[in-house]
Amino acid sequence: EAVDYLRARDRLTTTYNWSELWQEEHARQFTISRLASADLLADIQRLITESVQGDLSRSDYLRDARAALTRAGWWGEREVLDPATGELVRTRFDPPRLKLIYDTNTRQAYAAGQWERVQATKKTHPYLRYVTMDDDRVRPAHRAWHNVTLPVDDPFWTTHFPPNGWRCRCRVVPVSRRDFERGATPTGV
């Protein structure tokens, strides 16, 4: 399901700010802010897809994406012209940014795949439990959702299904009706 999600994002869109594509648009389009090269977008999307398929490791993706960006002159800091404002803006492609691009896209893909599985199994597991890593890095809002257990079709999941922001490590766990009714979920709610 995760690979299908990545392949379905078949429209490549050059953007200059992450907010130019929003929510559902990100589910249908692939972009990397301030990367104004459709060929490089296609290369990086292919590398991420190959990694999710199991053909490349995260390290392989990082190595190959860096090589592609270097060949095209995009590695390091660069100025690009924002066509909407006419302003020169700086962008940087370095290891932390490549990791963020990878993590964001793979987490979105895995979440899309998980949502498909949740929908397919909701007759046997009609509830979802929100689970954080429960450590000192969890955001306060996410901590408040830890162990919230609600029906799969509850409106809460339309806005709270992880990932919820950059580098969100939260997840959901499907819960059977039997476990829910016996209070086997951590909150028993």
Side-chain angles (χ1 to χ4, degrees):
E1 294 94 350
V3 172
D4 289 344
Y5 167 82
L6 287 169
R7 287 186 179 143
R9 293 172 71 197
D10 55 358
R11 182 171 171 206
L12 302 175
T13 305
T14 56
T15 60
Y16 293 84
N17 189 311
W18 67 271
S19 64
E20 289 179 38
L21 289 182
W22 195 238
Q23 296 172 350
E24 289 185 23
E25 291 177 313
H26 277 285
R28 294 186 303 272
Q29 301 175 47
F30 183 82
T31 191
I32 297 171
S33 179
R34 297 187 181 137
L35 181 58
S37 167
D39 290 343
L40 279 174
L41 280 173
D43 284 346
I44 292 175
Q45 182 186 34
R46 177 185 53 77
L47 292 170
I48 290 169
T49 303
E50 287 177 7
S51 183
V52 170
Q53 287 175 168
D55 299 335
L56 290 177
S57 68
R58 185 175 193 241
S59 297
D60 293 336
Y61 154 80
L62 293 170
R63 178 198 64 221
D64 294 351
R66 180 179 183 156
L69 289 161
T70 299
R71 278 192 306 274
W74 281 85
W75 189 251
E77 193 165 307
R78 179 181 175 141
E79 287 188 337
V80 292
L81 184 65
D82 183 336
T85 65
E87 174 185 356
L88 274 178
V89 291
R90 290 178 185 236
T91 191
R92 173 182 294 276
F93 285 92
D94 56 10
R97 182 147 184 223
L98 284 185
K99 288 175 185 174
L100 177 63
I101 291 165
Y102 180 86
D103 291 346
T104 299
N105 282 279
T106 57
R107 287 176 182 162
Q108 287 175 332
Y110 288 123
Q114 184 179 27
W115 183 251
E116 292 296 318
R117 289 187 303 280
V118 161
Q119 292 304 310
T121 62
K122 70 182 176 183
K123 285 187 180 181
T124 60
H125 291 77
Y127 298 93
L128 291 175
R129 182 176 73 228
Y130 194 100
V131 180
T132 70
M133 296 299 287
D134 202 22
D135 61 18
D136 63 342
R137 293 176 40 212
V138 174
R139 296 168 206 173
H142 299 202
R143 186 173 309 285
W145 306 327
H146 184 63
N147 289 329
V148 166
T149 306
L150 297 166
V152 166
D153 294 326
D154 190 283
F156 176 87
W157 300 117
T158 61
T159 55
H160 292 77
F161 195 88
N164 287 301
W166 304 113
R167 294 201 167 101
C168 174
R169 300 171 299 140
C170 300
R171 59 192 174 90
V172 295
V173 177
V175 177
S176 71
R177 180 176 310 283
R178 184 172 148 238
D179 285 346
F180 179 80
E181 287 173 355
R182 8 175 254 185
T185 64
T187 60
V189 183

